[in-house]
Amino acid sequence: MSWLSKFFKFREKSDGDIVKPFLDHMEDLRWTIVKMIVVQVIMMVISFYYRHDLMDMLRAPLYKVDPSLPDQLIITTIAGSFLISLELAFFAGIAMAFPFHVYFVSQFVLPALTRKERKLLLPGIFGAFVLFLGGVAIAYRWILPSTIGFFFHDALAAHLKVMWTWNDYFSFSAWLCFGFGLLCELPVIVILLGALGIVDFRFLSKTRPFAYVIILILAAVIAPTPDPLTFVALSVPIVILYEACIWIVWLIGRRRDRRRELEDEDMQD
């Protein structure tokens, strides 16, 4: 519990206009978790109701690879279809509840921001949600079909009969799409760290090569295929977004320095 105490002391010493004791912070944490669970359950119930439509959407990339491939998916357990529906509802519920989760966490972690800084909270949440959905859509539309196609044709070239299970296909496609969606959250994290003054343009510039290596490694892990087109489609957009973030942090730092100069001039006057 000592690290929690240090964390909440840090929050209580902030420059914002909200100051709470430790126990009140713990109560806020409890209600934050409760709200996230409630929203997640509601979105899962809605997603489970439309599970057949979601499964049809999940089949769509397979038609691009081979029209007969969706009908070849099998289940190997009696309750397999129901369990797959629950997993699908869980992931779809996360996607639908994502902006609410980010908002609840932001309410808890960033209560000490000034009123002016809080105005940036909703645009930041909206930007994070758009980037997440954009990453999932790109992976679903282009990366997943090409990756599935590579493994499918590789199996045919080896004269192997393809008998994929629904569970394996769902796990592979869900983690690929969600992994790419989370990877697209990198710009939001970098900009947030820059706005809080934790990182600056000089630091990001020096660590740029290491960041690119990490991005390429994550891209290779998310889409484990030697197909160069899939690898490029997965890594290049993230690299471009990260590079754009470096210059956005530069603008943030420049505005911060300019504001400090004006404040110093006013104090001297």
Side-chain angles (χ1 to χ4, degrees), residues 98-99 102 120-132 185 188:
F98 183 82
V102 175
L120 301 176
L121 183 60
L122 289 179
I125 294 174
F126 178 76
F129 186 54
V130 170
L131 286 175
F132 176 76
E185 294 298 292
V188 178

Side-chain angles (χ1 to χ4, degrees), residues 66-256:
D66 189 290
S68 63
L69 189 56
D71 297 329
Q72 298 179 21
L73 295 177
I74 62 173
I75 57 174
T76 58
T77 59
I78 296 176
S81 61
F82 182 78
L83 294 177
I84 292 172
S85 298
L86 287 179
E87 291 185 50
L88 186 59
F90 174 75
F91 279 95
I94 290 178
M96 295 171 62
F98 183 82
F100 298 97
H101 291 335
V102 175
Y103 180 73
F104 293 149
V105 172
S106 300
Q107 278 187 320
F108 171 73
V109 177
L110 306 176
L113 293 178
T114 63
R115 287 187 175 87
K116 183 178 180 180
E117 291 170 330
R118 289 193 197 110
K119 293 180 180 178
L120 301 176
L121 183 60
L122 289 179
I125 294 174
F126 178 76
F129 186 54
V130 170
L131 286 175
F132 176 76
L133 289 185
V136 172
I138 291 173
Y140 171 81
R141 180 66 176 81
W142 289 289
I143 300 174
L144 179 61
S146 61
T147 304
I148 292 294
F150 171 82
F151 289 119
F152 176 73
H153 294 298
D154 182 70
L156 294 182
H159 304 288
L160 299 174
K161 184 177 181 180
V162 177
M163 293 186 65
W164 293 340
T165 65
W166 251 109
N167 187 53
D168 289 339
Y169 171 68
F170 170 75
S171 297
F172 182 85
S173 57
W175 284 113
L176 189 148
C177 293
F178 268 77
F180 189 70
L182 293 176
L183 199 58
C184 289
E185 294 298 292
L186 180 63
V188 178
I189 297 174
V190 174
I191 294 175
L192 177 61
L193 294 177
L196 295 176
I198 299 176
V199 299
D200 55 13
F201 175 75
R202 181 179 300 177
F203 174 81
L204 294 176
S205 299
K206 290 182 178 180
T207 58
R208 181 188 280 119
F210 303 100
Y212 288 167
V213 171
I214 294 175
I215 291 174
L216 295 177
I217 292 175
L218 291 176
V221 171
I222 293 174
T225 168
D227 180 13
L229 293 179
T230 301
F231 182 75
V232 170
L234 190 64
S235 57
V236 169
I238 306 301
V239 170
I240 294 175
L241 284 175
Y242 183 80
E243 186 66 28
C245 288
I246 294 178
W247 292 101
I248 292 175
V249 171
W250 175 77
L251 290 174
I252 293 175
R254 187 177 181 182
R255 291 183 59 184
R256 184 187 296 116

